[in-house]
Amino acid sequence: MNLLESVKIALEAIFSNKMRSLLTMLGIIIGISSVIIIVSLGHGSQQMILKEFESFGVNRAYLGLSWRENPRLRDYISKDDINILSEAFSKEIKGMSPMVSDSGKVIKRTEEIRVELSGVNEEFNKIENISMKKGRFLLETDMKTRRSAAVIDEKLALKVFGRTDVLEEEITVDLRNGQETFIIIGVMEDKPAPFGNLGGYEPPLAIYVPITNMEQMLGMNGNYWGLEINFNKGVNANQTLSRMISIIERRHNSEGKNLYITYTAESELQMVNQIMSILTLVVGAIAAISLVVGGIGVMNIMLVSVTERTKEIGIRKAIGAKYKDVMMQFLVEAIIISAIGGIIGILFGILISAIIAVIIGFPPAVSIISILIATLFSISVGIFFGFYPARKASKMDPINALRYE
Amino acid sequence: MKQVLRMIRIQDLVKVYKLGEIEVKALKNVNLHIKAAEFTSVMGPSGSGKSTLMNILGCLDRPTSGYYYLDQIQVDRMSPDELAEIRNKKIGFVFQSFNLLSRSSALKNVELPMLYAGVKPNERKERAVEALEKVGLSDRLHHKPNELSGGQRQRVAIARSLVNNPSIILADEPTGNLDSKSGIEIMDIFERLNEEGTTIILVTHEPDIASMAKRVIHFKDGEMVDDHETGKAEVSV
């Protein structure tokens, strides 16, 4: 008897008991679809994060003091350091700015709006992808004159003034040590937060002011603890950063003390990717357990089916079915049940992950590989869990089987 | 004149069942020869060993000791798969309870032995139709067993037993579940098949059914106690 005949017999058996077949498949359907959904959500969020990093700037880096090493004031990065680095790495660096931030709030009647006030230099819009809706970004003259100028987020303008056309308007920010008033010179286009407003969390809205102004407010004197950097495309960020550190170390006579640390978006991205992959794997593995449970369901039903069809097995054996004929018949039946369950599960998985992708705003990312693996897996489940019942059927003694009622 | 062959040759056949500690001798040293184209009835009370003999004759079971040659082939030491092949090619079974696949049509049921013999689908169908015609069921090809009467079901079973041109047909109480009219019809079919040269062995406990055979064998306590020819026997060489 060939495979095609076994498939025919199996299909007849499956379709003659539709309800039971469907219930048996259910375990596989749920297992496969949840694996597909989880893997595709994992991929989707990974792609999302990648996109986010791209808009934030993949070539971005941070160079700053390592607080673990208890840096002294003379280890801080000075204005001269910045100028020397700018010159030495003019080819590599697209933009470099010290950044000093403080959180505060803008009060509009009784409403408090949380803001993040950051002092940056005129190069900062080359670091962060800032596009202006109105007005301009900070200029070098703003730094020199310590002008109380502010570039604010579009959302903030809407909240405070109810419009975006707010150039030359004044905005007052409550800080820990008093109030500061700035003249708005620019409004930035709002950047959607990476995951929307998940959980109702709204990040504080950004206000950028000249670093010189911020220093004065906080009583700093041209010494910074960190630099935001954006490298040109194709620059090896980590290599360049270590060369920059060695220059700073030489200038501060602090070679080998590990006073400075760096972050690059690239390595952060790699880390995030790694974490996401592990997370996807772990949750996927948990979902795969449901597949095993589904497989046990297949075995259970196949065992019932074998017992129920003892007489049929006896007839087939009496008439000349060999060990392998009976084995094949039941194994193929288990495989087909699992495979059909797998296909339905894949379709369900694709559908549900597409729906979730639309709701959350992910790019849909059902990978061909996860479908292939799911298919392979469901067939293996059929073989693995179908083997024992099929063996039981094929080993039946024809005389006893025929006598079974 | 037909060539007379020893279709079945059984020598010193013993079958012992172990029921826990106790050994039950179901067959004690049976010697039996059956020629080709013979029509033999096997009779005996329950527990006489006739069912055991039928199981061994039908290659469903193996003897504990002794020899069994079927159509010149020694089958008493064969493996289960080898026996399955012998059953498929050389033996046709007709059971008391028909033993048809309830989900399959008459045609599919008759095709079944050929499925395991590896016959191609077209030929399978052709031969199955032919066999069903032979038992007068050409108008019931696509009926399922539960749409057929008992007599018709048994005729499907006979068609199935014939379809691989077996050396012998083993019928185990084929009329046991039938009314007398259908029983006679079935026996007529057997007689006709025998006239055409098929070797038939029939187990029954009804004397008038047994007497339709040419030879009647009686079993008791695992031994053959009587073996005689009925008046129907042809003069054989």
Side-chain angles (χ1 to χ4, degrees):
Chain A
M1 196 172 64
N2 61 27
L3 191 65
L4 190 72
E5 301 288 352
S6 304
V7 171
K8 262 196 218 160
I9 294 172
L11 284 175
E12 264 168 43
I14 289 166
F15 281 102
S16 71
N17 216 332
K18 290 188 196 74
M19 191 61 190
R20 187 162 82 186
S21 304
L22 190 71
L23 286 175
T24 313
M25 286 170 196
L26 207 58
I28 304 285
I29 294 172
I30 292 170
I32 291 285
S33 54
S34 50
V35 168
I36 293 226
I37 291 165
I38 285 159
V39 171
S40 74
L41 287 189
H43 277 292
S45 52
Q46 233 164 324
Q47 281 184 16
M48 184 98 163
I49 289 166
L50 184 72
K51 237 173 82 184
E52 212 45 53
F53 264 94
E54 271 164 5
S55 74
F56 165 85
V58 194
N59 299 317
R60 271 190 75 164
Y62 172 82
L63 192 166
L65 286 165
S66 162
W67 301 108
R68 201 190 293 167
E69 304 296 329
N70 293 319
R72 293 151 299 172
L73 190 60
R74 65 181 203 96
D75 299 322
Y76 279 46
I77 299 161
S78 68
K79 270 187 185 146
D80 291 343
D81 289 341
I82 294 172
N83 289 336
I84 282 168
L85 288 175
S86 292
E87 265 174 52
F89 295 96
S90 60
K91 261 187 260 163
E92 286 91 347
I93 293 172
K94 191 174 169 193
M96 179 160 70
S97 167
M99 183 156 158
V100 179
S101 300
D102 199 1
S103 56
K105 56 205 177 201
V106 173
I107 293 171
K108 195 213 169 191
R109 290 194 208 105
T110 55
E111 199 190 347
E112 288 183 359
I113 302 157
R114 288 191 311 122
V115 295
E116 172 103 345
L117 191 68
S118 303
V120 294
N121 72 12
E122 72 281 1
E123 284 188 16
F124 192 73
N125 66 343
K126 288 188 219 158
I127 300 170
E128 189 125 351
N129 275 330
I130 292 174
S131 35
M132 302 304 299
K133 185 145 186 133
K134 293 266 153 47
R136 58 169 175 82
F137 197 72
L138 302 166
L139 294 177
E140 207 181 343
T141 48
D142 299 323
M143 306 296 146
K144 284 190 177 141
T145 56
R146 291 186 184 178
R147 193 176 163 199
S148 289
V151 174
I152 70 167
D153 193 283
E154 176 186 355
K155 248 191 194 160
L156 184 61
L158 284 171
K159 274 196 168 172
V160 178
F161 301 98
R163 58 196 158 89
T164 55
D165 180 19
V166 293
L167 297 181
E168 301 302 317
E169 295 277 0
E170 282 187 357
I171 187 163
T172 304
V173 184
D174 280 25
L175 293 165
R176 267 169 297 182
N177 40 5
Q179 284 189 333
E180 288 289 335
T181 300
F182 302 93
I183 308 232
I184 297 166
I185 60 160
V187 177
M188 306 176 281
E189 258 172 36
D190 186 48
K191 270 201 282 185
F195 293 95
N197 284 338
L198 283 187
Y201 171 78
E202 278 188 66
L205 298 163
I207 302 181
Y208 292 116
V209 299
I211 180 106
T212 47
N213 199 302
M214 195 77 178
E215 274 171 52
Q216 200 177 31
M217 265 160 42
L218 299 175
M220 297 166 75
N221 49 356
N223 290 310
Y224 310 109
W225 57 73
L227 298 175
E228 297 284 338
I229 305 162
N230 197 8
F231 290 109
N232 284 317
K233 258 197 189 133
V235 171
N236 184 329
N238 285 317
Q239 215 173 32
T240 314
L241 283 169
S242 61
R243 275 162 60 207
M244 290 168 77
I245 286 176
S246 58
I247 289 176
I248 298 172
E249 282 181 339
R250 219 176 303 137
R251 285 177 49 78
H252 291 261
N253 291 320
S254 59
E255 286 107 325
K257 285 185 185 167
N258 293 326
L259 282 172
Y260 303 98
I261 49 163
T262 58
Y263 293 108
T264 57
E266 208 186 331
S267 50
E268 299 267 292
L269 180 64
Q270 273 168 10
M271 208 165 72
V272 170
N273 264 338
Q274 212 175 354
I275 290 169
M276 285 305 297
S277 300
I278 291 168
L279 204 70
T280 306
L281 203 69
V282 168
V283 183
I286 292 169
I289 291 172
S290 66
L291 253 182
V292 174
V293 176
I296 293 168
V298 171
M299 178 150 79
N300 192 7
I301 293 297
M302 287 310 293
L303 280 172
V304 171
S305 174
V306 165
T307 309
E308 237 181 40
R309 282 148 74 186
T310 300
K311 186 107 185 178
E312 178 195 325
I313 295 163
I315 295 169
R316 287 180 186 275
K317 285 204 141 188
I319 277 167
K322 290 180 183 168
Y323 179 88
K324 89 168 195 301
D325 295 326
V326 179
M327 181 90 188
M328 274 287 261
Q329 181 188 334
F330 283 90
L331 200 55
V332 165
E333 193 175 321
I335 292 169
I336 288 178
I337 286 179
S338 312
I340 294 176
I343 290 165
I344 298 174
I346 287 167
L347 296 179
F348 253 111
I350 292 172
L351 186 74
I352 293 171
S353 44
I355 291 170
I356 293 176
V358 167
I359 291 170
I360 303 189
F362 274 3
V366 177
S367 67
I368 310 266
I369 290 171
S370 72
I371 289 172
L372 273 179
I373 289 173
T375 312
L376 225 68
F377 207 93
S378 57
I379 290 170
S380 326
V381 163
I383 293 173
F384 186 81
F385 290 101
F387 182 78
Y388 175 69
R391 207 174 76 114
K392 201 180 155 195
S394 60
K395 279 192 149 181
M396 272 183 187
D397 172 44
I399 297 168
N400 290 332
L402 275 173
R403 223 178 273 148
Y404 185 89
E405 283 305 329
Chain B
M1 183 128 185
K2 282 176 210 144
Q3 193 195 356
V4 175
L5 283 170
R6 277 181 181 158
M7 187 54 82
I8 285 173
R9 188 153 63 89
I10 277 173
Q11 248 177 346
D12 305 326
L13 198 76
V14 173
K15 180 69 188 180
V16 180
Y17 288 114
K18 273 188 186 158
L19 297 168
E21 294 289 293
I22 312 155
E23 285 192 346
V24 180
K25 264 196 167 178
L27 289 176
K28 303 167 187 166
N29 230 32
V30 174
N31 290 284
L32 174 66
H33 294 193
I34 291 173
K35 293 196 263 317
E38 259 192 317
F39 189 171
T40 310
S41 286
V42 179
M43 293 192 74
S46 62
S48 62
K50 66 178 196 298
S51 292
T52 307
L53 180 73
M54 285 306 269
N55 285 340
I56 292 172
L57 285 178
C59 292
L60 290 163
D61 202 357
R62 283 182 293 190
T64 311
S65 68
Y67 301 94
Y68 172 18
Y69 291 85
L70 170 63
D71 206 4
Q72 336 291 351
I73 304 163
Q74 187 179 3
V75 296
D76 50 70
R77 293 287 172 271
M78 278 187 169
S79 72
D81 267 1
E82 286 171 321
L83 287 176
E85 192 160 344
I86 292 287
R87 287 198 296 273
N88 186 241
K89 304 245 160 80
K90 301 222 170 267
I91 299 165
F93 288 99
V94 179
F95 302 96
Q96 180 177 5
S97 55
F98 321 131
N99 284 343
L100 298 172
L101 296 184
S102 53
R103 286 198 306 258
S104 306
S105 65
L107 190 66
K108 289 282 170 198
N109 265 292
V110 178
E111 279 189 30
L112 203 60
M114 293 185 282
L115 182 72
Y116 294 115
V119 177
K120 297 228 157 51
N122 286 340
E123 191 190 337
R124 230 155 55 198
K125 192 172 175 195
E126 221 169 89
R127 276 166 60 182
V129 170
E130 213 173 283
L132 281 163
E133 273 168 3
K134 219 171 185 173
V135 296
L137 282 178
S138 46
D139 55 341
R140 295 282 188 276
L141 299 181
H142 302 290
H143 287 60
K144 294 202 171 149
N146 59 7
E147 298 159 346
L148 297 170
S149 71
Q152 289 171 329
R153 285 185 214 181
Q154 198 59 298
R155 281 192 269 161
V156 173
I158 293 170
R160 181 180 66 186
S161 74
L162 285 174
V163 80
N164 263 354
N165 299 318
S167 307
I168 55 169
I169 286 179
L170 287 177
D172 190 356
E173 305 264 11
T175 57
N177 280 3
L178 301 176
D179 58 84
S180 52
K181 187 174 163 276
S182 308
I184 289 164
E185 279 173 22
I186 294 299
M187 288 311 293
D188 284 347
I189 293 173
F190 280 131
E191 278 188 322
R192 211 179 63 224
L193 289 172
N194 179 243
E195 273 159 26
E196 287 169 17
T198 311
T199 315
I200 295 169
I201 301 171
L202 178 112
V203 172
T204 183
H205 62 266
E206 292 168 75
D208 28 329
I209 295 287
S211 66
M212 293 173 99
K214 295 171 190 162
R215 178 182 174 192
V216 179
I217 295 167
H218 279 266
F219 265 81
K220 204 182 169 189
D221 298 328
E223 286 173 306
M224 209 164 79
V225 292
D226 185 35
D227 179 0
H228 70 269
E229 300 196 336
T230 64
K232 289 198 164 203
E234 285 175 338
V235 182
S236 52
V237 180

